[in-house]
Amino acid sequence: MVYEDFVEAVARRTGVSAEQAETIARATLETLADRISGGEANDLADQLPEGLDDPLRKTREHPESFGLGEFVQRVTARAGVDGVLASAGVRAVLTTLREAVPAEEFQDMVAQLSKDFWRVVEPVGLRPGERRAR
């Protein structure tokens, strides 16, 4: 997936402009880099287009331990958006990330996250903006 396609998918899923989607994507990826190991963050960065890989590059090997609520709060602060949009943005970025990288790489990343993160990843096969039945 190329940079523009990733950002456009996030924009469609959140209903925001490409510029705002880019800000949210970078904030989410940077926060993800805080939460997963440095090795995994770099492996994931290697799978992403130039421009999206930078927020994941880090030298620290040990991740911080925090849940989905703290994750969304950090994205809220980094992206300068409200919590509702940050939450939608995290969902959009993680779902788009799942589509953009090999399944094994995504599984390796998710294995380092708490189970509550699975609540924000849309099921495979949903179109952008479509919601799963509850």
Side-chain angles (χ1 to χ4, degrees):
M1 181 177 284
V2 297
Y3 183 89
E4 292 80 13
D5 291 344
F6 191 101
V7 170
E8 182 57 35
V10 172
R12 280 192 315 270
R13 286 185 165 106
T14 56
V16 299
S17 69
E19 182 178 315
Q20 194 165 30
E22 180 180 21
T23 299
I24 291 167
R26 294 183 65 78
T28 301
L29 293 171
E30 186 177 348
T31 304
L32 186 61
D34 291 342
R35 184 60 183 80
I36 62 176
S37 72
E40 185 57 40
N42 286 320
D43 288 349
L44 198 57
D46 290 343
Q47 304 296 317
L48 292 176
E50 187 175 334
L52 289 174
D53 60 336
D54 294 342
L56 287 164
R57 303 277 181 204
K58 63 180 190 175
T59 57
R60 179 167 36 103
E61 182 56 33
H62 300 290
E64 295 179 52
S65 181
F66 53 88
L68 181 59
E70 174 69 17
F71 193 100
V72 171
Q73 287 177 351
R74 289 182 186 207
V75 172
T76 297
R78 285 179 169 145
V81 298
D82 66 38
V84 172
L85 182 53
S87 183
V90 168
R91 175 186 299 273
V93 172
L94 292 179
T95 300
T96 304
L97 190 61
R98 186 197 59 218
E99 295 171 351
V101 302
E104 183 176 302
E105 190 62 50
F106 187 79
Q107 293 294 334
D108 289 349
M109 184 247 341
V110 171
Q112 294 190 17
L113 303 174
S114 56
K115 293 189 187 331
D116 56 345
F117 281 85
W118 274 111
R119 294 182 307 160
V120 299
V121 179
E122 293 291 345
V124 174
L126 286 185
R127 292 180 299 236
E130 189 176 38
R131 296 280 178 231
R132 66 181 137 198
R134 295 196 190 257

